[in-house]
PDB file of all heavy atoms in Angstrom:
ATOM      1  N   SER A 431     -67.450 -71.099 -11.116  1.00 84.00           N
ATOM      2  CA  SER A 431     -67.002 -72.496 -11.059  1.00 84.00           C
ATOM      3  C   SER A 431     -66.540 -72.859  -9.657  1.00 84.00           C
ATOM      4  O   SER A 431     -66.475 -74.035  -9.302  1.00 84.00           O
ATOM      5  CB  SER A 431     -65.869 -72.716 -12.059  1.00 84.00           C
ATOM      6  OG  SER A 431     -64.765 -71.860 -11.766  1.00 84.00           O
ATOM      7  N   ASP A 432     -66.213 -71.837  -8.859  1.00 80.00           N
ATOM      8  CA  ASP A 432     -65.774 -72.085  -7.483  1.00 80.00           C
ATOM      9  C   ASP A 432     -66.849 -72.809  -6.682  1.00 80.00           C
ATOM     10  O   ASP A 432     -66.540 -73.616  -5.799  1.00 80.00           O
ATOM     11  CB  ASP A 432     -65.438 -70.765  -6.779  1.00 80.00           C
ATOM     12  CG  ASP A 432     -64.335 -69.998  -7.479  1.00 80.00           C
ATOM     13  OD1 ASP A 432     -63.586 -70.616  -8.260  1.00 80.00           O
ATOM     14  OD2 ASP A 432     -64.232 -68.784  -7.255  1.00 80.00           O
ATOM     15  N   VAL A 433     -68.108 -72.530  -6.977  1.00 80.00           N
ATOM     16  CA  VAL A 433     -69.210 -73.121  -6.220  1.00 80.00           C
ATOM     17  C   VAL A 433     -69.218 -74.631  -6.387  1.00 80.00           C
ATOM     18  O   VAL A 433     -69.356 -75.384  -5.425  1.00 80.00           O
ATOM     19  CB  VAL A 433     -70.556 -72.525  -6.672  1.00 80.00           C
ATOM     20  CG1 VAL A 433     -71.709 -73.169  -5.903  1.00 80.00           C
ATOM     21  CG2 VAL A 433     -70.570 -71.021  -6.477  1.00 80.00           C
ATOM     22  N   ALA A 434     -69.058 -75.120  -7.622  1.00 74.00           N
ATOM     23  CA  ALA A 434     -69.057 -76.552  -7.881  1.00 74.00           C
ATOM     24  C   ALA A 434     -67.862 -77.229  -7.215  1.00 74.00           C
ATOM     25  O   ALA A 434     -67.970 -78.338  -6.690  1.00 74.00           O
ATOM     26  CB  ALA A 434     -69.050 -76.815  -9.383  1.00 74.00           C
ATOM     27  N   GLN A 435     -66.715 -76.544  -7.227  1.00 78.00           N
ATOM     28  CA  GLN A 435     -65.508 -77.108  -6.627  1.00 78.00           C
ATOM     29  C   GLN A 435     -65.641 -77.249  -5.117  1.00 78.00           C
ATOM     30  O   GLN A 435     -65.137 -78.200  -4.525  1.00 78.00           O
ATOM     31  CB  GLN A 435     -64.309 -76.229  -6.975  1.00 78.00           C
ATOM     32  CG  GLN A 435     -63.984 -76.214  -8.463  1.00 78.00           C
ATOM     33  CD  GLN A 435     -62.925 -75.197  -8.811  1.00 78.00           C
ATOM     34  OE1 GLN A 435     -62.401 -74.489  -7.948  1.00 78.00           O
ATOM     35  NE2 GLN A 435     -62.597 -75.101 -10.093  1.00 78.00           N
ATOM     36  N   GLN A 436     -66.366 -76.321  -4.495  1.00 75.00           N
ATOM     37  CA  GLN A 436     -66.536 -76.368  -3.049  1.00 75.00           C
ATOM     38  C   GLN A 436     -67.523 -77.440  -2.624  1.00 75.00           C
ATOM     39  O   GLN A 436     -67.441 -77.964  -1.514  1.00 75.00           O
ATOM     40  CB  GLN A 436     -67.006 -75.004  -2.546  1.00 75.00           C
ATOM     41  CG  GLN A 436     -65.966 -73.913  -2.698  1.00 75.00           C
ATOM     42  CD  GLN A 436     -66.536 -72.531  -2.440  1.00 75.00           C
ATOM     43  OE1 GLN A 436     -67.711 -72.377  -2.115  1.00 75.00           O
ATOM     44  NE2 GLN A 436     -65.711 -71.506  -2.607  1.00 75.00           N
ATOM     45  N   GLY A 437     -68.457 -77.782  -3.505  1.00 73.00           N
ATOM     46  CA  GLY A 437     -69.433 -78.814  -3.181  1.00 73.00           C
ATOM     47  C   GLY A 437     -70.503 -78.319  -2.229  1.00 73.00           C
ATOM     48  O   GLY A 437     -70.543 -77.147  -1.848  1.00 73.00           O
ATOM     49  N   ILE A 438     -71.391 -79.220  -1.835  1.00 71.00           N
ATOM     50  CA  ILE A 438     -72.490 -78.870  -0.951  1.00 71.00           C
ATOM     51  C   ILE A 438     -71.989 -78.766   0.491  1.00 71.00           C
ATOM     52  O   ILE A 438     -71.335 -79.679   0.991  1.00 71.00           O
ATOM     53  CB  ILE A 438     -73.608 -79.923  -1.025  1.00 71.00           C
ATOM     54  CG1 ILE A 438     -74.156 -79.984  -2.461  1.00 71.00           C
ATOM     55  CG2 ILE A 438     -74.734 -79.609  -0.049  1.00 71.00           C
ATOM     56  CD1 ILE A 438     -75.190 -81.044  -2.672  1.00 71.00           C
ATOM     57  N   PRO A 439     -72.281 -77.666   1.178  1.00 68.00           N
ATOM     58  CA  PRO A 439     -71.833 -77.507   2.568  1.00 68.00           C
ATOM     59  C   PRO A 439     -72.414 -78.597   3.461  1.00 68.00           C
ATOM     60  O   PRO A 439     -73.530 -79.062   3.259  1.00 68.00           O
ATOM     61  CB  PRO A 439     -72.375 -76.124   2.966  1.00 68.00           C
ATOM     62  CG  PRO A 439     -72.633 -75.424   1.673  1.00 68.00           C
ATOM     63  CD  PRO A 439     -73.023 -76.482   0.700  1.00 68.00           C
ATOM     64  N   LYS A 440     -71.661 -78.971   4.480  1.00 66.00           N
ATOM     65  CA  LYS A 440     -72.114 -80.011   5.402  1.00 66.00           C
ATOM     66  C   LYS A 440     -72.928 -79.455   6.560  1.00 66.00           C
ATOM     67  O   LYS A 440     -73.537 -80.206   7.306  1.00 66.00           O
ATOM     68  CB  LYS A 440     -70.896 -80.770   5.944  1.00 66.00           C
ATOM     69  CG  LYS A 440     -70.132 -81.529   4.865  1.00 66.00           C
ATOM     70  CD  LYS A 440     -68.961 -82.288   5.462  1.00 66.00           C
ATOM     71  CE  LYS A 440     -68.196 -83.044   4.378  1.00 66.00           C
ATOM     72  NZ  LYS A 440     -67.035 -83.784   4.947  1.00 66.00           N
ATOM     73  N   SER A 441     -72.922 -78.144   6.707  1.00 62.00           N
ATOM     74  CA  SER A 441     -73.654 -77.547   7.830  1.00 62.00           C
ATOM     75  C   SER A 441     -74.197 -76.186   7.412  1.00 62.00           C
ATOM     76  O   SER A 441     -73.856 -75.654   6.355  1.00 62.00           O
ATOM     77  CB  SER A 441     -72.741 -77.377   9.054  1.00 62.00           C
ATOM     78  OG  SER A 441     -71.653 -76.538   8.734  1.00 62.00           O
ATOM     79  N   ILE A 442     -75.054 -75.615   8.251  1.00 59.00           N
ATOM     80  CA  ILE A 442     -75.644 -74.307   7.979  1.00 59.00           C
ATOM     81  C   ILE A 442     -74.557 -73.238   7.929  1.00 59.00           C
ATOM     82  O   ILE A 442     -73.661 -73.203   8.768  1.00 59.00           O
ATOM     83  CB  ILE A 442     -76.679 -73.949   9.062  1.00 59.00           C
ATOM     84  CG1 ILE A 442     -77.901 -74.876   8.939  1.00 59.00           C
ATOM     85  CG2 ILE A 442     -77.111 -72.498   8.945  1.00 59.00           C
ATOM     86  CD1 ILE A 442     -78.907 -74.672  10.034  1.00 59.00           C
ATOM     87  N   THR A 443     -74.638 -72.406   6.927  1.00 63.00           N
ATOM     88  CA  THR A 443     -73.711 -71.284   6.800  1.00 63.00           C
ATOM     89  C   THR A 443     -74.483 -70.000   7.025  1.00 63.00           C
ATOM     90  O   THR A 443     -75.423 -69.708   6.298  1.00 63.00           O
ATOM     91  CB  THR A 443     -73.069 -71.266   5.409  1.00 63.00           C
ATOM     92  OG1 THR A 443     -72.434 -72.526   5.175  1.00 63.00           O
ATOM     93  CG2 THR A 443     -72.047 -70.145   5.300  1.00 63.00           C
ATOM     94  N   GLN A 444     -74.099 -69.238   8.031  1.00 67.00           N
ATOM     95  CA  GLN A 444     -74.857 -68.043   8.400  1.00 67.00           C
ATOM     96  C   GLN A 444     -73.906 -66.966   8.879  1.00 67.00           C
ATOM     97  O   GLN A 444     -72.863 -67.244   9.471  1.00 67.00           O
ATOM     98  CB  GLN A 444     -75.857 -68.398   9.504  1.00 67.00           C
ATOM     99  CG  GLN A 444     -76.745 -67.246   9.948  1.00 67.00           C
ATOM    100  CD  GLN A 444     -77.827 -67.735  10.894  1.00 67.00           C
ATOM    101  OE1 GLN A 444     -78.621 -68.592  10.544  1.00 67.00           O
ATOM    102  NE2 GLN A 444     -77.829 -67.213  12.093  1.00 67.00           N
TER     103      GLN A 444
END
Side-chain angles (χ1 to χ4, degrees):
S431 60
D432 300 341
V433 179
Q435 295 172 1
Q436 293 169 2
I438 299 176
K440 296 181 180 179
S441 60
I442 291 175
T443 304
Q444 182 172 301

